[in-house]
Amino acid sequence: GTVHFRIVNMQKRKSLYEHGLQPHVCSVRKNCGWQPFACESVSYIVNNGRQRTRSGGGEGQREDRSTLSFSYRMDVPDDEVYFASYPPYSYSMLCGFLAKLANHSQARAHLKRTELCRSIGQLPVPLLVVSENINGLEPSDDDGSCEALRRRPAVAVIARQHPGEVVGSLVVQGLLRFLLGPTPHARLLREAYVFHVVPMVNVDGVVHGNSRCTLAGVDPNRVWHDPNPIIHPVAFALKNHL
């Protein structure tokens, strides 16, 4: 049969669901991975004039919020189905991808992986530095730095300050694949710049399923002016690094 979903009181008045975006669906029985066009009757409507109160109390639908509705046909018996805004990209997936880069004979010559800091949950936050032959350049100064690298302008790239912005991880993964690849354009970029990449800023939020906040309940995108080293350790370390 067909199952109808209504997610009420969504904060944004406008959404890409109004312009063709659909929930992604993963059916365990079908074993086809995440499917982007499996839902029907997708709509995103402001609640104006349709406020209701749940039986037994509660605020029900708020007139200043919106409702996402969609339907899904369950056509496989005893199926287990998952729904998501985007296909998940977990911390474990990132670690697996970085391990493959470290073991790749060509990529590892231009990649230096370090730890930016530890999160509140004591997870390592990866920091990647990409530049041409970065591991083959000899330090030229007393502080261990390399004059050749210092002459190259720095480019900073960060993603996943908000854990729910999964597409950021996909973009950064594609960027790293390109920068560490064999094309002439990638080599020109590596020779001209030093790329500092933090592919997952809010690692705790990703691991614990938050949409926006850290384990301290803080939006890391709102503390850049004065990050606290205890409450906002990643933003603090990242700002110092930059």
Side-chain angles (χ1 to χ4, degrees):
T2 300
V3 183
H4 305 284
F5 296 89
R6 296 177 69 249
I7 304 175
V8 303
N9 294 337
M10 300 188 74
Q11 188 171 3
K12 294 185 176 179
R13 296 182 66 85
K14 295 183 178 181
S15 171
L16 290 176
Y17 289 112
E18 300 175 273
H19 303 283
L21 180 66
Q22 294 200 17
H24 286 69
V25 181
C26 180
S27 165
V28 174
R29 289 275 182 168
K30 293 181 180 179
N31 194 28
C32 296
W34 289 93
Q35 302 297 309
F37 303 112
C39 293
E40 302 173 348
S41 304
V42 179
S43 67
Y44 191 88
I45 302 174
V46 178
N47 294 338
N48 287 344
R50 301 191 299 119
Q51 185 172 2
R52 302 175 184 173
T53 302
R54 297 193 301 264
S55 59
E59 67 175 356
Q61 291 188 19
R62 290 178 47 171
E63 292 187 359
D64 60 337
R65 300 296 172 89
S66 301
T67 296
L68 170 64
S69 303
F70 59 92
S71 302
Y72 177 75
R73 181 174 178 79
M74 306 285 290
D75 51 7
V76 178
D78 300 320
D79 198 3
E80 184 177 338
V81 182
Y82 295 87
F83 299 88
S85 297
Y86 300 98
Y89 191 105
S90 66
Y91 180 68
S92 297
M93 292 171 67
L94 171 64
C95 292
F97 171 67
L98 297 183
K100 289 180 180 179
L101 290 182
N103 292 325
H104 193 280
S105 58
Q106 178 175 320
R108 66 187 180 195
H110 315 298
L111 171 67
K112 182 172 291 186
R113 176 181 175 180
T114 60
E115 182 180 301
L116 175 68
C117 65
R118 292 286 175 129
S119 67
I120 293 177
Q122 293 303 301
L123 289 174
V125 180
L127 168 64
L128 312 175
V129 183
V130 177
S131 199
E132 180 66 19
N133 196 29
I134 190 172
N135 291 314
L137 297 174
E138 294 293 334
S140 55
D141 294 332
D142 294 338
D143 60 1
S145 61
C146 177
E147 178 65 25
L149 288 180
R150 286 213 312 272
R151 287 199 301 264
R152 299 174 187 173
V155 178
V157 179
I158 66 173
R160 297 297 286 279
Q161 285 207 102
H162 297 155
E165 295 169 353
V166 179
V167 289
S169 286
L170 301 176
V171 171
V172 168
Q173 179 167 311
L175 174 66
L176 289 171
R177 285 182 184 275
F178 168 74
L179 288 177
L180 295 168
T183 66
H185 293 89
R187 178 167 185 168
L188 283 174
L189 287 171
R190 294 195 304 263
E191 290 175 341
Y193 301 98
V194 180
F195 294 86
H196 299 254
V197 184
V198 182
M200 191 172 286
V201 175
N202 191 353
V203 293
D204 286 341
V206 172
V207 169
H208 291 273
N210 295 352
S211 175
R212 181 174 294 265
C213 296
T214 66
L215 288 186
V218 175
D219 182 347
N221 212 20
R222 299 292 184 267
V223 300
W224 278 84
H225 63 289
D226 187 24
N228 183 292
I230 304 301
I231 304 176
H232 324 121
V234 183
F236 180 84
L238 181 52
K239 187 174 182 179
N240 284 342
H241 179 77
L242 296 177

